[in-house]
Amino acid sequence: MRNVLIVSPHFPPINAPDMQRVRLSLPHLERFGWRPVVLSVDPDAVEGVRDPLLEETLPPELAVTRAAALPTGLTRPLGLGNLGLRAFPQLYRRGLRLIEERKIDLVYFSTTVFTVMPLGRLWERRCGVPFVIDMQDPWVNDWSEADGGPRPVNSRLAGWMHARLEPWTMSRVSGLVSVSEQYLRTLRNRYPRLGALPMETLPFGYAERDFELLQRRPQPNRFFARGNGLLHGVYVGRGGADMRTALEAMLGALRKGLREDPQRFERIRLHFVGTDYAPAPWGRPTVQPLAEGMGLGDRVRESVQRVPYFEALQLLADGDFLLVPGSQDPSYSASKIYPYVLARKPLLAVFHERSSVVDFVRRTGCGRVVAFRSRQPGAELIDEVYGEWKRILSQPGKAPELRWDQLEPHGAREMTRRQCRLFDRVVAGEAA
């Protein structure tokens, strides 16, 4: 049995998207020859939503070490809120001790707190332990003012820092995991040495036991009342300018339905929840302004603040149908698609035609999907979304007929097996 140190600054009871791969893989790692040791940050030092139920999904024997971090009350007035920077010295010392005391064979970073990833090179130089990075998002982005407007000063400073930390870290990394093949392709082009390293494209897995726990421990629904005569469509997840095409197509189809088939579409109310990662009060709406601009403000409600994970699952379970807007970025894989599938509700997704989600939805039969190519949601795209929406509403509440043989390879156990296979190759010194 080998030992892996998993660095995940966000960890239960903190609810954050970037800890989900770790959480889902923990029950299966030892089955494939790896004993996990988790290094996280004290939840009292983390700006984030808490969900105590998440801790009930962890193996009871799991070893978790929590590092301290400078409080934001001291650092934010100085313009420093980044969790990785606030906890960097403490994580370094705690990790070094764990590597030595637990005889760690491999370090695995699974987080979007990119500022902790250089620890891998520091520990590798000090202890000779290889490290693997899980790229859940791009570390360095090519900013486009056409997409995002002028770049804020703090964003320019962060970009300058990341543009130096990424190559410094990638020069010593021993393997890569990513939710997107495009992310890996970009890194190989940027750093040719990576082409010789073990790599694996792994979406997040799914775990049916989350919904089993939800059935035993129902959560509050603060956003709408079931059975009030309306049809509630639900989306829980981030918004953003890159989703504008999908959102405008969905809202345009709703407006078309109200005009052409009011008897069916009048009952629809849409709920977009947790659309901004920023903690209160810095979150900004990105859906409501679009809806109001299209005259749909009374039928669309957006809550930017994130909600606990199991409360999010409750919203999916309570919805009459589910919406999943995709990014204009074709590499966007939307790992959150799995809870939507397991909720077993009618589902309408709108994604870039090259996104892996399009093929996944069609193969598994988990819902209806409309693919777009252009960033401008023209009449043809709106008409297609409208047609799929009508099909869903013609049989309200009818669960999709899932093809479980197509879904099973995406389960948490299989994803963990593939993850551990990459760990084996790294410690064995195998090439790509």
Side-chain angles (χ1 to χ4, degrees), residues 264-283:
R264 186 171 288 163
F265 280 80
E266 278 282 356
R267 298 169 58 203
I268 288 179
R269 298 295 184 271
L270 303 184
H271 307 273
F272 294 84
V273 180
T275 53
D276 199 310
Y277 289 140
W282 293 285

Side-chain angles (χ1 to χ4, degrees), residues 135 138-142 162-163 166-167 170 183-194:
M135 297 298 296
W139 188 344
V140 174
N141 281 300
D142 296 323
H162 291 311
E166 183 187 82
M170 291 296 170
Y183 295 168
L184 296 180
R185 189 179 305 118
T186 298
L187 288 170
R188 284 194 297 265
N189 291 338
R190 191 178 291 162
Y191 311 110
R193 73 169 288 269
L194 299 182

Side-chain angles (χ1 to χ4, degrees), residues 115-144:
T115 45
V116 304
M117 292 178 179
L119 289 169
R121 177 168 174 173
L122 295 177
W123 291 330
E124 188 262 352
R125 183 167 59 187
R126 179 79 176 264
C127 305
V129 177
F131 66 99
V132 171
I133 290 177
D134 175 11
M135 297 298 296
Q136 299 184 24
D137 282 327
W139 188 344
V140 174
N141 281 300
D142 296 323
W143 182 268
S144 170

Side-chain angles (χ1 to χ4, degrees), residues 11-86:
F11 197 70
I14 296 298
N15 173 38
D18 67 341
M19 64 83 194
Q20 291 291 355
R21 190 197 297 280
V22 172
R23 184 183 71 87
L24 293 170
S25 66
L26 285 170
H28 308 288
L29 284 166
E30 291 200 24
R31 179 175 301 164
F32 300 111
W34 287 88
R35 182 183 297 108
V37 176
V38 174
L39 176 60
S40 183
V41 175
D42 186 333
D44 289 338
V46 179
E47 295 178 312
V49 175
R50 295 195 185 202
D51 188 343
L53 274 185
L54 286 169
E55 294 184 293
E56 295 189 24
T57 69
L58 303 176
E61 71 281 2
L62 178 66
V64 181
T65 296
R66 310 274 189 174
L70 292 174
T72 54
L74 294 177
T75 63
R76 196 167 286 283
L78 303 175
L80 178 61
N82 183 276
L83 178 61
L85 296 180
R86 290 191 292 116

